[in-house]
Amino acid sequence: MTPWSGGLRLGAVLLAVAVWLAWIGWRLRRSSGGQTEREPVLPGLLELPQGWRGDRVTVVELESRRGAYVAAEDGVLRVMVPTPALLERVMSELVAWRRGVPPNALALRVEAAAECGESAWLGRLQAWRQAIADAEARLGCRLPLYLLVRFPAPRRCAGINGTLGVVLKGAPCSSLRQWRERLDEWRKQLELQASGLGDGEGRARFDLRQRAGAVGGWLASQALPALLQGATPLPAPGLQGIALLPAQGGDAALSPWGRARQALSGLAVRPLSAGGGEEGGLPGSWLFGLERGPRLSAGWKLVLNLWLLACLTAMAALAASAWSNRQLLERLAADVARYRSLPAERDAERRQALLVLERDARELQSHADLGVPLRLGFGFYRARPWHQRIARLIAEYRPPQAAPVSVSLDSLSLFDSGKAALRPDAAASLEPVLAALRQHADRNVLVAGHTDSVGRADANQRLSLERAAAVRDWLVQVSGLPLSRFAIQGYGATRPLASNDDAEGRARNRRVEITLLPFPPVK
C-alpha cells in the first residue's frame, strides 16, 4: 500500500495549485480593488517618479493634522492619514501604486500635551486600532507599528540626540508586559545618567530627561494598555518601536499627559510658552534602521509563491516515493522470509507462500518491462536485486514426493498352486486394488510377483512374472487405464518376508504386491 494513489496525488497537487492561485489573486484584488470606482485619496502618488514605487522606505503616518497627502523627504516616502476612516482607502491606493508591496511601517502620532478629554483620547486610540486591524486583514499581512509620542520640552533644548536614549525598539509581537518591562528598564538607565547642572543647557537637558522618563511611565500605565490590551476583541497591533520626541509647544493641564502628571504629583501643570507647533518632518532617528532598497513586486511574489509551491510538491512527491519504496522492500523481504521459514512437511502453506512470491515476481517483471512507476521513481527504486532472488526461489521449489500406496495379496487367493492363471473367484480379492486405483487415479501401477523357495529358482522367477502379468491384464481390462500406466516385475524367492523353513513362512512369501507410485516431478 502507498500513502496516495497516482490519481489521488495528481488531484491533490492540482487542487493545491488552484487554491494557491486563488489566494494570490484574492490578495492582489483586495490590495488593488475598488480604486477605479472612487476618487483617489492620494493623487500625489501619480506625480512621483517610477523609481519611488518599490525602492524607497515608505512610512504611513497616522493622525496627520493637515489632511491626506504624500511627501518625499530624504529618500523616505511619507504618506499622511488624518483619520482612521481613511486608512483602509489610503493603504489600498498605496499598495496598488507600489505593485502589491505594503509599506515599511505605520507611525501613529500621540500628542501628549494636546488638550482633549479622557474618553475622546482613549476612543481615538481604539479607532486607530480598529483601522489598523482592518487594513491588515485587507492586505493579508502584519504591519509594524511605531508610536511617535511628542511631549513639550524646554525652548533651549535642541531636540532628540544621542545623549537622550528615548528611541526604544522591540519585537513586532511584544506584549504589554514586555513593553512595560522595557520602559521601566529604560527609565532606570535614564535616572543613572549624570545630571550636568553646571550651566543652562545642562539644566535643560536634565529637565528633558526627567520629562521623557515621566512620559515613559505615563505610556506604560495608560497609553499602551489602551492600544495593546483593552476590552475589544480586536487583535493588538504589532507595536515594534516607541520614539519620545521633544517638541516646542504648550503643556496643557487638560491633556492626557497633564492629567497624569497632576494625579502623580498633586501639583498644577506649569504651561510652557507655545512655540511653533506646525507639523513638519520628523527626525530620522525613529526609523530604527528600516531597510532601504527594492522590494518584491506582486508579480515576483506570485512567481516566488509558485516556485515555493513547486518545491513543496516536489518534496511531497520525493517523500511519498521514498515511503513507497521502503514499503515495497519490506513487503518483499517479509514474503521471502515467510516462504523460507516453512519446512517441506508443511507443503500446503509453502504453496500459499509460493503464490505470493509469484505475484511479487510478476509485479517486479512489469517494472522491468514497462518501467518503474512514478510513485516508486525519483531514484529511490531498489527492488531489482529482489527480482532475481524471488525467481530463483520459485525455480527451486519441488513438491514433496507422495508416499506409495501398496496392497499385498496372497497368491493362493488368486492362483492355484504352481499356476499363473487367475482363479474364477480372484475378482473378489482384487476389489481393494480397484478401489485404490480409483482413489489415486493419477498414479502409476507396479505389479510384483513373489514365490517361496520350493523348486528351482528360474522356475519360481518365471512363475512370479507370469502371475504379475495376469494381475496386470485383469486390472487393465477392468479399470480402463492404459497399459502404459502399468509395470510388472517377477522377483521369485529373492525378496522373502519370512523364513521358508516352515509352512507359515512360505505362505507369507507367496504373494502379489500392487504398488501405486506417484508420477516423478517434472524438472
Side-chain angles (χ1 to χ4, degrees), residues 442-454:
D442 58 339
R443 297 194 178 191
N444 293 327
V445 183
L446 173 63
V447 182
H450 301 268
T451 64
D452 56 20
S453 61
V454 177

Side-chain angles (χ1 to χ4, degrees), residues 130 217 234 242 257 289 301 317 350 366 369 398 422 427 435 458 476 516:
Q130 175 70 61
L234 295 174
I242 299 176
W257 159 235
K301 282 187 177 181
R350 293 186 77 223
S366 68
D369 296 341
R398 295 290 182 272
L422 289 173
D458 57 341
V476 169
L516 306 183

Side-chain angles (χ1 to χ4, degrees), residues 434 437-438 445 472-482 486:
L434 286 177
L437 284 177
R438 296 188 187 99
V445 183
R472 177 201 62 191
D473 295 341
W474 187 88
L475 291 175
V476 169
Q477 180 182 1
V478 175
S479 67
L481 296 176
F486 291 83

Side-chain angles (χ1 to χ4, degrees), residues 59 72 86-87 144 152 253 299 301 312 349 356 364 384 411 520:
V59 179
L86 287 178
L87 179 61
K301 282 187 177 181
L312 292 176
E349 297 180 46
V356 175
L364 297 179
R384 289 187 179 89
S411 294

Side-chain angles (χ1 to χ4, degrees), residues 321-400:
S321 177
W323 188 90
S324 300
N325 277 279
R326 178 181 177 183
Q327 292 295 109
L328 175 63
L329 295 179
E330 291 179 353
R331 174 165 59 86
L332 296 177
D335 293 344
V336 170
R338 165 69 177 168
Y339 175 78
R340 286 177 171 173
S341 66
L342 296 173
E345 292 77 11
R346 300 167 61 180
D347 186 62
E349 297 180 46
R350 293 186 77 223
R351 284 179 178 272
Q352 293 296 326
L354 189 67
L355 292 177
V356 175
L357 291 183
E358 291 175 349
R359 182 200 63 195
D360 294 338
R362 289 193 297 270
E363 179 182 357
L364 297 179
Q365 186 62 43
S366 68
H367 296 170
D369 296 341
L370 305 177
V372 178
L374 184 61
R375 62 182 177 84
L376 298 173
F378 303 103
F380 292 102
Y381 189 73
R382 297 292 184 273
R384 289 187 179 89
W386 285 94
H387 189 194
Q388 300 177 358
R389 300 174 193 171
I390 293 176
R392 186 165 55 250
L393 287 176
I394 295 174
E396 292 174 353
Y397 171 76
R398 295 290 182 272

Side-chain angles (χ1 to χ4, degrees), residues 44-75:
L45 291 175
L46 304 178
E47 302 174 3
L48 294 175
Q50 292 293 322
W52 284 75
R53 285 179 178 264
D55 61 349
R56 295 291 190 275
V57 172
T58 302
V59 179
V60 178
E61 297 187 17
L62 313 178
E63 202 71 21
S64 169
R65 289 177 290 175
R66 293 194 296 183
Y69 66 96
V70 177
E73 301 175 356
D74 300 328

Side-chain angles (χ1 to χ4, degrees), residues 406-429:
S406 181
V407 179
S408 181
L409 301 176
D410 185 5
S411 294
L412 294 182
S413 64
L414 302 175
F415 305 96
D416 292 331
S417 178
K419 305 296 182 180
L422 289 173
R423 295 171 54 179
D425 57 350
S429 299

